[in-house]
Amino acid sequence: MDKEFDIKNHDTRDPNPWLAMYLDSSIPINNQTKQALMRDNNSRSTRYLLPFIKLWSKISMFFIHILKFFVPKLFNSSKALHRILAWGLKNFVSPDANLLIFRHFHAGSEILEFIAKNVPETQVKTSPLKPYDFKDVRDDLFLNHDLNLYNFVIKLNSELREKEQTIEKQSTLNLDMVSEDQFDHIQFPNRWTNILDLRSAIELFTPFYQLFLTANDFVRASNSLQLDETIAIYTTQILGTPGHLGLVNNKHPMVPTSTYTAAYRLVLHGLATETLHEILVNIKLGRSKDGVVTPA
């Protein structure tokens, strides 16, 4: 861990807020993920570049919104979008931010698989997205992630309605799909150009997302971030632990928020996924029956 997150360097007159968050154990989260997120929050990119990138992003989105109103099909190309995203991630995004982005798809896929395997009344097939390098991004990775979420909710609930069943607490859990630590990603580039923090990268890429997708795809992608609460509800119903819903901050998708806040909510979406995944990891490893580790 970096020296600024070492308790030995704690200054009571000038405490490091990210040291406090790193040491805080109020929510479950993978330790390597937590280190990466705290370094990302404390990076120069976050402190000095993010404010300017956020301003550029909001202005760009405003004008793209107008452009898409008059010529909605001018730049529609998911393939072009994902080639740009793969190139940008490889050349300009920091190793910590790339780790957080790539981990997200694996953790999210495993959560959906967990739900599918632990609702015995249904036979919902999932479409796991588990990228290991930048080439995998080109296969419409981000768009398929959003589609998978909606298709999963539709398929699961259509089967439950058809069979007049509900999601219930399971006494025996299938946790075979849950990875206990990392996902064997490539070693992410760490050249002098790889400086962008997670939020700066998302803010920078969001206008491209809006430009190269149809208005329907973009709005659906933005609203999908609020499916955190829906997926969390399914999981807590299976576990019988409604208290875990307190870890979700994106609010319910029945009341969508502005696409201009998509970048910030995407980070919340990532955090909700990581905490929910770590709950399952804790249960699998026997650290706690409900996934929350109680300090000794």
Side-chain angles (χ1 to χ4, degrees):
M1 192 62 186
D2 294 353
K3 62 180 181 180
E4 59 263 37
F5 300 126
D6 189 337
I7 187 62
K8 295 178 182 179
N9 297 313
H10 172 51
D11 182 355
T12 57
R13 297 288 297 174
D14 185 23
N16 183 343
W18 306 119
L19 171 63
M21 291 299 96
Y22 173 68
L23 295 175
D24 173 59
S25 59
S26 59
I27 64 172
I29 186 170
N30 175 273
N31 191 60
Q32 186 170 337
T33 300
K34 195 173 190 179
Q35 291 179 10
L37 183 57
M38 294 306 99
R39 284 195 299 263
D40 190 77
N41 286 337
N42 199 44
S43 68
R44 291 183 178 180
S45 174
T46 302
R47 285 179 284 172
Y48 302 121
L49 294 181
L50 180 58
F52 297 102
I53 292 176
K54 286 178 66 175
L55 178 61
W56 173 86
S57 179
K58 298 299 182 290
I59 294 174
S60 298
M61 290 178 67
F62 173 76
F63 286 107
I64 292 172
H65 179 76
I66 296 175
L67 176 66
K68 299 288 277 191
F69 178 80
F70 290 103
V71 281
K73 298 182 179 180
L74 182 60
F75 292 105
N76 293 345
S77 176
S78 179
K79 291 296 182 184
L81 168 66
H82 284 82
R83 286 182 178 274
I84 292 172
L85 294 177
W87 175 77
L89 289 169
K90 181 177 181 179
N91 292 285
F92 301 108
V93 176
S94 72
D96 283 331
N98 269 323
L99 173 66
L100 295 170
I101 292 169
F102 275 74
R103 268 191 60 92
H104 174 71
F105 294 100
H106 289 255
S109 292
E110 292 186 357
I111 291 170
L112 294 187
E113 289 182 74
F114 168 79
I115 296 170
K117 296 295 185 182
N118 287 278
V119 182
E121 298 83 5
T122 63
Q123 297 295 324
V124 178
K125 293 184 178 180
T126 59
S127 302
L129 295 172
K130 297 186 176 183
Y132 292 96
D133 57 35
F134 301 104
K135 293 180 181 179
D136 295 331
V137 176
R138 298 179 182 179
D139 297 327
D140 291 351
L141 179 69
F142 290 87
L143 179 61
N144 287 333
H145 173 63
D146 304 327
L147 297 177
N148 280 356
L149 283 171
Y150 281 108
N151 287 329
F152 179 81
V153 172
I154 290 170
K155 291 176 183 177
L156 175 65
N157 286 279
S158 63
E159 283 201 33
L160 288 173
R161 287 193 177 200
E162 180 181 341
K163 299 175 181 178
E164 298 183 347
Q165 301 288 341
T166 58
I167 301 175
E168 298 179 349
K169 180 180 179 180
Q170 300 299 307
S171 56
T172 302
L173 299 174
N174 182 344
L175 293 160
D176 293 341
M177 73 297 296
V178 178
S179 299
E180 298 170 15
D181 192 17
Q182 302 306 309
F183 302 109
D184 299 323
H185 296 125
I186 62 170
Q187 187 72 27
F188 296 112
N190 193 21
R191 298 182 293 268
W192 69 271
T193 57
N194 294 104
I195 60 172
L196 287 178
D197 64 278
L198 178 63
R199 284 177 289 169
S200 292
I202 295 172
E203 290 283 1
L204 197 60
F205 292 152
T206 300
F208 290 97
Y209 214 83
Q210 181 186 18
L211 180 63
F212 284 97
L213 294 182
T214 65
N216 190 48
D217 282 341
F218 180 65
V219 171
R220 182 178 57 232
S222 176
N223 292 344
S224 73
L225 302 175
Q226 293 178 260
L227 285 173
D228 291 342
E229 183 161 331
T230 304
I231 300 302
I233 289 172
Y234 298 160
T235 306
T236 56
Q237 287 174 327
I238 293 170
L239 298 177
T241 54
H244 288 148
L245 289 176
L247 301 176
V248 181
N249 296 298
N250 262 334
K251 309 307 177 184
H252 202 277
M254 284 189 182
V255 185
T257 60
S258 169
T259 55
Y260 288 92
T261 64
Y264 174 69
R265 289 187 294 113
L266 185 54
V267 179
L268 289 177
H269 170 62
L271 180 61
T273 301
E274 286 286 354
T275 55
L276 190 56
H277 186 267
E278 186 68 7
I279 287 171
L280 300 180
V281 171
N282 288 339
I283 296 174
K284 183 175 183 178
L285 294 178
R287 294 172 180 166
S288 174
K289 64 179 181 180
D290 61 4
V292 176
V293 180
T294 303

